[in-house]
């Protein structure tokens, strides 16, 4: 990469010295503090937020700053447009990757985080961002996580948390819990052993209590539809019925179904392999050995492996067990299968192979009967018919419409209508060192007791050893001095909770802390919160479509319920940047050796060129490959702006050029507002062409070009601005206004003749022949001459005249 870049550097001229200029202006901005933000004043506010990065050991590649550049342009535009702008940055630095990095390199995670943050900050500063660094936050700073812990305690007090034995991925040979990301096809990434599920005591947050609000409040948000859809699917609200099937021999089992109308088509029942009924009926299962080994096999599979479309579904018949269909009293066989999940619905399914795809495939594979109960015209041997229609083979419901009988059939079967969610409660603990300690104490006589608020932050003990314990417990469990404490209530001996919070915790509310980063008394001062909320634009990658954006919305709603924040949603508008792929079209990654480092690019071509290029590459949301050659185009554009200064004289530009200038001011403003930065740049390129074709350019026009370019190329524009004699930074100037009257004047008047005589005229700004002829014909004063006559010829003189030659 380096070699290639230095070869193309010869192609750039030394029209201007980007290294010198960029350094100078960055130092200048820092010294004068022009990007510092205060609340208050008469200006409207704009809160422009990036998803804060996780500072990894490998630093930034050119793909990372794409979103940061876009928000920087946006923030600068808003500032120039008279807004009081909050545009902060910080670090999401707890979590497994930092801990693993530290273990591998034998440095303490707190040291590694410090080094990585410094490296990230250096990389960001050379790009010329207008962050207010006085508001920087770091989730691993005790002064920050104090409030993460505080919020958790409030949830605990409101009864929103509970302890539960939740399974973790467990590698029996490494003796460690593994995140889903550490699994390689169900095996341990490190040693290749098959990973087991091991139940472990954990803290869980009852986020499902917020499912309905998380869903319904999505409607009012200005977010990409695809993200809203992902959230809807993640929450997964389903209306359906719970129906009960008797099991011969005494027990019963409930199923959740969205299609009670198909109950007469049930040909078997399926339980999740983990279903609690199995233990009870075990003595009556005639093929127990086979069943047992199947259950063991399924336990090794991940949820995705079990349910993914196209994955082969497997199951085992429970010999000797049968159930009774509540609708018609018929006996149906009972199976267990991997495609039925224990933690959705009731963990049991009534299978209707004629009308459900998964059941159909399964029935075909195991030769189970298929019974159609909807619309004889839909019956097929090839696949399930999953739509609605007229019921058949359904007893007294025959002939009725399937949709309309849902309530009636549910009642007929003694079932009930229910709402189910796919969203699960949030397992809010990790058995790791590098996370926020959960501020709870276990006391033999008082039970679970919260750490008093005045003792927060409960700091992570600073220790040398934080390797996994081998028991599945957190490394904190092995630190006796830390674990053994006094019960805050009875003062007797007690033990600290040793689970830590998950990586997602700190990012749930950081945007609130930027509003008031140094407050020692509160998470955020209500006055400041009211002033800045909500975040007006939030920008980041689509990988956060669900987890982060669900957890943060939940956390925010909780804070809203306890009166900490004033609005029920945190992020009004969301925009996602598309990835920048490597020059080879693959995802940029060390593994593919296609990583382009922004430091190299900035050194060779300048931050301003990089910024223009990344914004010009294509639509913001689109993924696109990096090309250093194309980047040179952006560099040349900037150089041309630099050179244009030599053309400044007293003579003003031509009228068309002036019109184009006003059009461009309007378009660039609108485009930045709409995150269409690429089209904003292309319209400035068109303007630049026009200015270059002028014999000379007046100072005012040149300055206007600099002003609208300033958000994109902050260094060179500030430099040229000061060269023109201005004392104040261009970034404190006001966004230029355009003259609406100058825009309308592009319309022209076209005379309309019939047989050479003027009969009317047309005012338009569309010069196209087909449009003009049609519009002319439709004018009533012309129509009366044309009606009933044959038009022999239509003559159009562009922008001037139309003549209809008619016979008669
Ligand atoms: C019978 C039926 C007939 C179904 C039919 C569908 C079509 P959603 O929309 O995702 O909520 N189901 C229920 N619990 C399940 C579990 N634990 N694991 C796997 N599948 C489960 O899906 C609800 C449908 O998914 C339910 O409706 C059930 O199959 C299945 F023509 O019941 B249905
Ligand atoms: Zn106690």
């Amino acid at each position: 990469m380096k070699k290639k870049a230095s070869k193309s550097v010869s192609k750039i001229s030394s029209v201007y010295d980007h290294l010198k200029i960029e350094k100078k202006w960055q130092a200048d901005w820092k010294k004068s503090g022009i990007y510092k933000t205060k609340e208050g004043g008469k200006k409207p506010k704009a809160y422009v937020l990036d998803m804060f990065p996780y500072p990894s050991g490998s630093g930034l590649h050119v793909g990372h700053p794409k979103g940061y550049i876009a928000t920087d342009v946006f923030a600068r535009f808003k500032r120039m447009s008279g807004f009081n702008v909050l545009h902060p940055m910080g670090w999401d630095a707890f979590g497994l990757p930092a801990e693993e990095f530290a273990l591998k390199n034998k440095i303490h995670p707190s040291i590694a985080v410090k080094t990585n943050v410094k490296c990230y900050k250096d990389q960001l500063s050379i790009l010329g961002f207008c962050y207010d660094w006085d508001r920087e936050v770091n989730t691993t700073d005790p002064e920050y996580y104090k409030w993460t812990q505080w919020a958790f305690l409030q949830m605990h007090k409101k009864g929103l948390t509970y302890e539960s034995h939740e399974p973790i991925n467990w590698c029996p040979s490494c003796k460690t819990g593994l995140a889903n990301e550490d699994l390689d096809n169900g095996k341990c990434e490190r040693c290749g052993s098959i990973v087991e599920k091991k139940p472990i005591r954990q803290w869980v947050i009852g986020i499902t209590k917020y499912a309905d609000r998380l869903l319904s409040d999505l409607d009012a948000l200005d977010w990409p539809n695809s993200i809203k859809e992902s959230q809807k699917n993640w929450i997964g609200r389903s209306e359906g019925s719970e129906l009960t099937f008797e099991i011969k021999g005494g027990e019963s089992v409930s199923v959740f179904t969205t299609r009670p109308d198909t109950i007469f088509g049930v040909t078997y029942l399926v339980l999740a392999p983990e279903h609690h009924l199995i233990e009870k009926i075990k003595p009556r299962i005639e093929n127990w050995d086979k069943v047992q080994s199947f259950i063991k096999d399924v336990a090794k599979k991940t949820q995705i492996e079990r349910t993914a479309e196209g994955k082969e579904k497997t199951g085992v018949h429970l010999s000797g067990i049968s159930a009774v269909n509540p609708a018609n009293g018929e006996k149906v066989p009972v199976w267990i299968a991997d495609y039925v999940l224990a933690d959705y619905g009731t963990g049991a399914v009534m299978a209707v192979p004629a009308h459900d795809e998964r059941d159909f495939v399964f029935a075909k594979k195991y030769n189970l009967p298929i019974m159609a109960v909807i619309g004889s015209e839909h019956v097929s041997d090839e696949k399930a018919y999953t739509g609605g229609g007229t019921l058949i083979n359904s007893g007294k419901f025959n002939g009725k419409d399937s949709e309309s009988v849902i309530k009636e059939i549910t009642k007929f079967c003694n079932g009930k209508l229910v709402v189910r969610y796919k969203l699960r409660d949030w397992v809010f603990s990790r058995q790791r060192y590098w996370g926020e300690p959960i501020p709870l104490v276990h006391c033999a006589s008082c039970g679970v007791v919260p750490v008093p608020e005045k003792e927060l932050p409960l700091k992570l003990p600073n220790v040398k050893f934080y390797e996994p314990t081998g028991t599945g417990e957190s490394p904190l469990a092995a630190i006796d001095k830390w674990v053994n404490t006094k019960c805050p209530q009875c003062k007797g001996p007690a033990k600290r909770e040793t689970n830590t919070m998950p990586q997602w915790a700190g990012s749930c509310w950081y945007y609130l802390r930027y509003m008031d980063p140094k407050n020692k008394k509160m998470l955020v001062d209500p006055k400041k919160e009211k002033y800045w909320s909500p975040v007006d634009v939030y920008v980041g990658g689509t990988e956060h479509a669900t987890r982060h954006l669900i957890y943060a919305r939940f956390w925010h709603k909780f804070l809203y319920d306890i009166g900490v924040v004033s609005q029920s949603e945190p992020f009004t508008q969301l925009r996602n940047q598309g990835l920048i792929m490597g020059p080879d079209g693959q995802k940029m990654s060390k593994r593919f050796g296609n990583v382009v480092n922004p430091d190299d690019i900035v050194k060779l071509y300048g931050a301003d060129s990089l910024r223009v290029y990344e914004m010009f590459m294509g639509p913001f949301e689109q993924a696109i490959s990096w090309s250093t050659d194309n980047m040179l185009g952006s560099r040349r554009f900037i150089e041309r702006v630099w050179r244009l200064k030599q053309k400044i004289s007293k003579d003003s530009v031509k009228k068309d050029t002036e019109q184009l200038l006003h059009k461009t001011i309007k378009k660039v403003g609108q485009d930045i507002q709409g995150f269409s930065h690429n089209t904003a740049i292309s319209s400035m390129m068109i303007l630049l062409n026009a200015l270059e074709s002028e014999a000379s350019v007046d100072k005012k026009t040149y300055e206007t070009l600099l002003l609208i370019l300033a958000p994109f190329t902050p260094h060179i524009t500030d430099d040229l601005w000061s060269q023109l004699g201005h004392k104040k930074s261009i970034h404190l100037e006001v966004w230029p206004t355009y003259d609406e009257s100058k825009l309308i004047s592009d319309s022209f008047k076209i005379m309309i003749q019939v047989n050479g005589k003027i009969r009317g005229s047309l005012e338009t700004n569309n010069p196209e022949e087909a449009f003009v002829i049609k519009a002319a014909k439709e004018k009533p004063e012309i129509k009366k001459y044309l009606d009933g006559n044959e038009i022999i010829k239509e003559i159009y003189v562009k922008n001037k005249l139309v003549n209809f030659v008619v016979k008669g």
Side-chain angles (χ1 to χ4, degrees), residues 238-243 255-257 346 410 416-420:
S238 261
E239 287 180 9
S241 305
E242 223 173 84
L243 306 176
V255 301
F256 171 66
T257 176
T346 61
T410 303
K416 56 178 185 202
L417 297 174
V418 293
V419 175
R420 291 285 181 172

Side-chain angles (χ1 to χ4, degrees), residues 724-781:
L724 293 174
H726 297 282
K727 293 279 169 290
K728 195 170 88 181
S729 166
I730 193 169
H731 305 300
L732 300 174
E733 290 296 331
V734 173
W735 188 256
T737 46
Y738 55 88
D739 186 345
E740 198 70 54
S741 70
K742 296 217 161 100
L743 301 178
I744 309 166
S745 59
D746 349 313
S747 69
F748 26 81
K749 198 169 179 184
I750 295 171
M751 305 314 290
I752 312 171
Q753 300 178 338
V754 179
N755 287 342
K757 278 210 179 86
I758 292 180
R759 299 295 186 188
S761 68
L762 176 75
E763 181 94 22
T764 177
N765 58 7
N766 184 348
E768 278 173 48
E769 174 158 2
F771 169 82
V772 171
I773 300 257
K774 187 163 176 280
K777 277 182 187 166
E778 279 163 6
K779 292 224 139 202
E781 65 268 30

Side-chain angles (χ1 to χ4, degrees), residues 238 256-258 262 339 341 344 349-350 355-356 358 422:
S238 261
F256 171 66
T257 176
T258 46
T262 63
Y339 74 93
L341 301 174
Y344 184 59
V349 169
M350 62 177 224
H355 303 295
D356 179 272
R358 287 171 307 176
K422 293 241 156 58

Side-chain angles (χ1 to χ4, degrees), residues 213-256:
R213 285 163 69 191
L214 288 169
L215 186 67
S216 58
D217 289 355
L218 276 176
D219 287 339
L221 300 178
D222 174 12
W223 284 22
N225 271 332
S226 57
I227 304 285
K228 288 195 194 183
E229 275 311 303
S230 304
Q231 294 227 334
K232 281 181 193 163
N233 291 334
W234 185 269
I235 298 165
R237 184 180 196 275
S238 261
E239 287 180 9
S241 305
E242 223 173 84
L243 306 176
T244 303
F245 286 64
E246 301 299 330
I247 301 286
K248 293 232 159 157
E251 299 82 0
S252 69
V253 61
S254 292
V255 301
F256 171 66

